[in-house]
Amino acid sequence: MKHLIACAVSAWLMGTVLCAQETDRITGSPSWVIPAPAGTELSDGTFMIPETGASFYIKGTSTDGLAGYLEGLPLSLAQASGPGKADVLIEIGGKRLQDRNPESYSLEITPSQIRIKAPAEAGAFYAVQTLLQMTREGKVRQLQCCRVEDSPRFGYRGLHFDVSRHFRSKEFLMKQMDAMALVKLNKMHLHLTDGAGWRIEIDKYPELTGFAAWRPYRSWQEWWEGGREYCTQSDPEAQGGYYTKDDIREILAYAAPRHIEVIPEIEMPGHSEEVLAAYPELSCSGEPYKNSDFCPGKEETFTFLENVLAEVMELFPSEYVHIGGDEASKSGWKDCPDCRRRMQEEGLEDVDELQSYLIHRIEEFVNSKGKKIIGWDEILQGGLAPNATVMSWRGTEGGIKALKSGHDVIMTPASYCYLDYTQDAPFKEPASIGGYVPLAKTYSYEPVEEGVTEEEAENLLGLQGNLWAEYITRDSHAEYMYYPRAFAVAETGWTPAGRKDYGDFRERAIALCDQLKDMGYTTFDLRTEYGDRKESQAPVEHLAKGCKVTYNIRYTDQYPASGDGALTDGICGGWTYGDLKWQGFFSDADVTVDLGSVKPVHYVGATFMNAAGAWVHIPQKMEVYISEDGVNFRPAGTVWQDISEKHDFIFFKQYSVICNEKARYVRIYAQRAARPGACLFLDEVIIN
Ligand code: ACM
Ligand code: ZN
C-alpha cells in the first residue's frame, strides 16, 4: 500500500503525476522537510542507516567539493568502492536529465538503497539536504521508503546580511550558510558598506578599513544617538571590523560547495557617510561629516567607485554586484557647483536624473567587466539603467514596473520580507525597528503580483529576506530574527504555490527550529507565539461607533487608515502602524466626534502607539472637551503622559477620561511629544 501525500507535481518530473491526500506525518519521511518538495510519494518499508555510518558512491560528473562535503556530514558518510555496494548512490548528469533544472533532483529510498539522480551537482546537493532534514542531521536512522521528485519554483532564493551596522565574523556567515543550504536558500546578499562602517579590504583605499570601519561605539544605536563619528583602528575605543581579502576568499570557499552565491553590495550614492568621512573630497562639500551622498558631479567619485568595484568584482565570482541606490538624500546636489555643471553638461532635469546618470555610468562599467548590477528600487528614479536588476523593497510597485519594462526583479517587500521587523508581540520581543512581520505574514507572500502576466513573470528571479541590523548587536539575536522566517522565504522560493499550506508549514517549522537549536543556533520559539494585538482581532462596540468625526487637524495622507471614519469604525490596530488600522498625524491630533444627539457620556478614551525607532511617540497630554451644541465646549478632563522616557520602544498607552456628563459633541486634543519629528498614531476614539 502506498500513502500519497503530494499534489500538483509537474508531469515532466520523471514522467509521473502524483496526487494529493492527507496522511499522518511519519518520522524520517519527506513530509517533515522545508521547503516542501514539489512531489512526494511514500511507500512501505524503511531503510536503516547503519550505526557505523552510510557509504556513498558518486556516478557521473561532480567536483571534489561534493565528496568532501558528504564526508563532513553528521551522517558519517564514507565513500563506497562501487555503486552496488553504496548505501547512497548518487548519479549526476546523463543524457536523460540534461534538459532539467540543474537544481532539481529525484530521491528514492528503498529498503536496500538510497538513490539520488540529478542533472547537476546542485540538484544532488539539494537531495542530500532533504535527507539531512529527514534524518534530523543524523539523529533519525530509520527512513521511510519514498520517492521525492523536486525542483525549485524560483532560481533566486536569498537572505540578506547587514554586516555594516554591526560587524559579524566570517565564522558567523559560514554558520548561516549551513542553515541556508539546509532549506535550499542559494543567495547570500552581503551589505558590506553603509554609514555605520565599511567592511571590506580595498587595496587602493586603505582608509576605508583603517578608519571608516571603526567607531568608538559598540552598538549602532549609541553611535547613531552619539556623535556618529569614526575612529582609527588603533583607537583604544575602536569597535567594528572588516573582512580582509583572504577572509572573503575563505567565505567564498565555504559557499561554493554549498551552492550559495555570495553577492556583494557596495552602497552608492547614499548611505555613504563612512566613505565621505575618510575621503571627503568625494562629497559635495569636500568636508567630512557633512554629506551622506557621493558627489556625482566630481570625476573623482567615479574613479573611486570604479576602482573599488574592480577589486570587489575580481574577488567575488558572482555574476552580480549590488550597487545599493536606496534612500540617497541628494540634499547636497542642488547647491553643489560640480553637480550643477554635470546636470547642465548632460542635460539632466533634476537630481533624480543625476542619480540615474550615476547608476547608468556605473552599470556600463560593471557590464564592461562581464557582470550585472542589482539595485534597490530607487534606481528606477530618473530612468532605469538598461540591464539592471531591481530589488523591490518599498512595496511591490517598483518591482512590477521593472517587470513590465522587461527587467529582472527580485521581490523583497518590507511588509513581508523585512526580518528586522518584530515577529511577535513587542512586549515579549527584543527591541526592534518596529513593524510586525510574523512567520505567517512572511509565508503568505506571493511573489507573482496581481497584474503581472506570465510572460512578465519570467523575469521574476525570486525573493529574498532582509535583516537590517540597526538594533541587532548580538549574533544570537540575528539568528533569532532569521529563523524560522528564513524558512518561509525558502518555501515560497522553492515550493509550487499550490502546495503551500501555512498550518502544515508551521508544524514543520517548529520541528526544524528544534533541529537548528540542536545544531547550536538560536531561534524564535513558535510554541510561545502570542500573535497579533488582541484588540485588533474583533471590532469593538461603543457609543461613538459609526459616528461622524470632524478633523480640526487633518491626519496625514500617508497613514489614513480607513479615512474620515477610521477613528469610529470599531477597528483597533495591531502591533504596527503600517497595518492600515492606525491613523497617523505628523502634528497634534484634534478631532470632534458627533454622537448624533445629546447622550450620557461616562468614558472617553483613545489608545496611542509608541514606536520610538520610527519617531512615533505617545502624546504629552490628551485633553477632552464636551458640548451639547458643537459651539460651546467645556473641559471634561486631561490625561498626561506619565511613563518614563526609558520606555523607549514599542508600546501602547490608553489615555482615558472618566466623567459623568451629557453631550452630543466630544472633542479630543492630543499634543504630540516634544521631540524632533515626533508623530502620533491612534486607532479609535472610544466613547461610552
Ligand atoms: C532599504 O531598506 N533601505 C533598502
Ligand atoms: Zn556635488
Side-chain angles (χ1 to χ4, degrees):
M1 191 190 67
K2 286 178 175 174
H3 311 267
L4 299 177
I5 62 161
C7 71
V9 80
S10 308
W12 58 263
L13 285 168
M14 304 305 271
T16 314
V17 178
L18 311 173
C19 61
Q21 184 183 307
E22 278 298 314
T23 182
D24 288 341
R25 221 187 281 277
I26 298 169
T27 307
S29 86
S31 56
W32 281 107
V33 171
I34 293 177
T40 305
E41 186 181 358
L42 303 188
S43 50
D44 287 343
T46 58
F47 176 89
M48 285 300 296
I49 297 175
E51 283 296 328
T52 50
S55 61
F56 70 89
Y57 187 86
I58 303 173
K59 246 169 98 175
T61 37
S62 81
T63 62
D64 293 343
L66 180 60
Y69 174 81
L70 294 175
E71 283 166 348
L73 291 177
L75 294 173
S76 317
L77 290 169
Q79 298 211 35
S81 55
K85 304 229 165 47
D87 296 310
V88 184
L89 174 61
I90 302 172
E91 288 180 61
I92 300 175
K95 270 211 168 59
R96 250 170 20 88
L97 300 178
Q98 68 191 7
D99 295 335
R100 299 235 169 111
N101 185 322
E103 292 187 307
S104 67
Y105 66 90
S106 72
L107 166 70
E108 188 177 12
I109 301 182
T110 70
S112 58
Q113 198 174 44
I114 297 174
R115 292 185 205 116
I116 290 169
K117 285 189 183 144
E121 193 177 302
F125 177 79
Y126 289 135
V128 171
Q129 300 312 309
T130 296
L131 265 184
L132 278 176
Q133 283 196 39
M134 288 169 65
T135 63
R136 298 264 164 250
E137 291 281 314
K139 286 205 173 63
V140 174
R141 308 199 80 83
Q142 186 172 9
L143 299 182
Q144 181 65 38
C145 287
C146 63
R147 213 178 84 214
V148 176
E149 302 291 348
D150 209 2
S151 183
R153 182 177 177 204
F154 293 108
Y156 190 111
R157 305 177 301 278
L159 211 53
H160 157 278
F161 293 78
D162 172 6
V163 293
S164 171
R165 271 51 178 267
H166 292 101
F167 182 62
R168 311 255 176 242
S169 67
K170 62 185 178 210
E171 290 78 13
F172 171 84
L173 294 179
M174 293 190 275
K175 181 181 174 193
Q176 305 323 309
M177 283 186 200
D178 286 335
M180 286 175 68
L182 195 58
V183 291
K184 306 183 176 80
L185 288 168
N186 63 356
K187 312 285 176 189
M188 174 179 265
H189 171 175
L190 277 189
H191 184 74
L192 287 164
T193 74
D194 210 300
W198 182 277
R199 305 296 179 211
I200 180 168
E201 179 179 29
I202 302 292
D203 298 331
K204 271 210 169 78
Y205 299 100
E207 288 301 295
L208 292 174
T209 44
F211 180 71
W214 305 95
R215 60 190 190 216
Y217 304 93
R218 165 78 186 103
S219 77
W220 174 88
Q221 201 180 355
E222 288 163 332
W223 171 80
W224 186 255
E225 290 170 2
R228 295 190 203 175
E229 75 267 34
Y230 311 93
C231 62
T232 58
Q233 183 168 3
S234 57
D235 189 306
E237 302 286 310
Q239 301 278 347
Y242 63 91
Y243 305 111
T244 64
K245 288 194 169 173
D246 278 343
D247 290 336
I248 296 285
R249 287 186 196 102
E250 218 179 303
I251 291 167
L252 293 167
Y254 200 80
R258 286 159 184 79
H259 296 271
I260 290 173
E261 181 178 341
V262 184
I263 300 172
E265 179 182 350
I266 304 295
E267 265 279 11
M268 63 191 77
H271 283 282
S272 298
E273 294 92 333
E274 85 293 19
V275 180
L276 304 178
Y279 296 97
E281 63 276 18
L282 306 175
S283 68
C284 291
S285 68
E287 292 175 45
Y289 299 112
K290 279 261 163 73
N291 303 104
S292 56
D293 309 324
F294 284 100
C295 172
K298 296 190 171 78
E299 271 311 291
E300 294 94 310
T301 293
F302 291 92
T303 308
F304 171 87
L305 291 173
E306 290 178 9
N307 283 339
V308 167
L309 289 173
E311 289 192 34
V312 168
M313 286 189 285
E314 201 183 310
L315 201 50
F316 287 83
S318 172
E319 63 173 322
Y320 293 111
V321 57
H322 197 306
I323 51 84
D326 61 316
E327 299 182 313
S329 77
K330 307 171 188 132
S331 59
W333 295 358
K334 280 196 193 86
D335 299 324
C336 165
D338 293 315
C339 286
R340 283 214 301 269
R341 185 174 351 98
R342 176 80 74 196
M343 288 171 72
Q344 203 169 24
E345 281 170 8
E346 300 292 335
L348 307 171
E349 292 283 318
D350 54 28
V351 289
D352 283 351
E353 289 194 8
L354 183 55
Q355 171 170 292
S356 171
Y357 167 84
L358 178 140
I359 304 289
H360 272 70
R361 225 178 121 171
I362 293 299
E363 176 176 77
E364 244 171 65
F365 175 75
V366 169
N367 289 170
S368 77
K369 304 284 178 200
K371 306 233 181 190
K372 301 191 275 192
I373 65 163
I374 303 176
W376 300 110
D377 57 61
E378 287 93 328
I379 66 170
L380 284 150
Q381 294 165 358
L384 187 52
N387 306 312
T389 296
V390 171
M391 199 167 252
S392 190
W393 74 278
R394 295 175 307 164
T396 55
E397 296 78 8
I400 295 169
K401 190 170 170 199
L403 283 175
K404 294 208 172 283
S405 59
H407 284 261
D408 284 351
V409 164
I410 298 151
M411 284 297 194
T412 181
S415 52
Y416 296 90
C417 297
Y418 268 36
L419 310 184
D420 49 327
Y421 288 5
T422 310
Q423 62 194 313
D424 201 7
F427 64 75
K428 68 178 271 288
E429 291 304 295
S432 84
I433 196 145
Y436 175 54
V437 177
L439 180 66
K441 184 82 194 280
T442 304
Y443 192 77
S444 71
Y445 184 55
E446 169 47 50
V448 180
E449 293 286 335
E450 245 171 64
V452 171
T453 65
E454 224 169 275
E455 196 187 340
E456 288 159 359
E458 280 172 22
N459 288 80
L460 176 56
L461 304 183
L463 77 162
Q464 178 171 285
N466 292 344
L467 185 64
W468 299 103
E470 285 91 338
Y471 296 98
I472 302 172
T473 49
R474 285 171 295 109
D475 289 357
S476 57
H477 184 184
E479 289 179 357
Y480 179 89
M481 301 303 268
Y482 282 122
Y483 313 114
R485 287 180 294 180
F487 307 165
V489 173
E491 185 144 313
T492 301
W494 182 282
T495 304
R499 279 223 62 194
K500 285 179 67 186
D501 172 331
Y502 182 66
D504 181 82
F505 168 78
R506 193 173 188 280
E507 257 186 60
R508 287 179 283 128
I510 289 172
L512 189 54
C513 280
D514 287 346
Q515 182 177 334
L516 282 194
K517 276 186 237 160
D518 285 349
M519 292 162 70
Y521 293 82
T522 303
T523 76
F524 173 74
D525 186 359
L526 278 167
R527 290 187 180 91
T528 59
E529 188 176 20
Y530 179 94
D532 206 349
R533 189 167 170 249
K534 301 299 177 220
E535 290 87 331
S536 72
Q537 288 169 9
V540 58
E541 294 300 329
H542 61 98
L543 196 60
K545 190 171 168 204
C547 290
K548 183 172 183 288
V549 178
T550 302
Y551 287 86
N552 309 312
I553 300 175
R554 205 179 137 75
Y555 51 86
T556 166
D557 287 336
Q558 253 173 285
Y559 296 98
S562 64
D564 288 358
L567 296 181
T568 51
D569 61 3
I571 295 173
C572 294
W575 296 130
T576 171
Y577 59 84
D579 67 3
L580 308 178
K581 294 176 179 171
W582 291 91
Q583 195 163 65
F585 294 81
F586 293 165
S587 58
D588 297 340
D590 189 346
V591 301
T592 303
V593 178
D594 178 359
L595 296 173
S597 60
V598 174
K599 292 177 181 169
V601 171
H602 300 293
Y603 173 93
V604 179
T607 298
F608 292 84
M609 176 184 280
N610 201 89
W615 296 277
V616 178
H617 295 279
I618 55 172
Q620 292 182 57
K621 63 174 176 180
M622 184 182 89
E623 293 169 358
V624 176
Y625 300 89
I626 53 170
S627 164
E628 272 114 52
D629 58 7
V631 178
N632 301 300
F633 282 85
R634 59 183 186 279
T638 298
V639 197
W640 294 91
Q641 198 277 74
D642 56 2
I643 294 179
S644 155
E645 292 285 303
K646 289 203 185 88
H647 285 272
D648 213 13
F649 277 91
I650 299 168
F651 65 89
F652 302 82
K653 179 172 163 63
Q654 189 180 46
Y655 287 65
S656 59
V657 164
I658 309 282
C659 55
N660 188 14
E661 301 278 358
K662 281 197 166 64
R664 171 172 171 178
Y665 299 93
V666 178
R667 175 181 165 216
I668 67 159
Y669 164 72
Q671 185 180 20
R672 64 176 160 163
R675 292 181 181 226
C679 48
L680 288 176
F681 278 82
L682 68 160
D683 54 355
E684 186 80 358
V685 176
I686 294 177
I687 302 175
N688 273 316

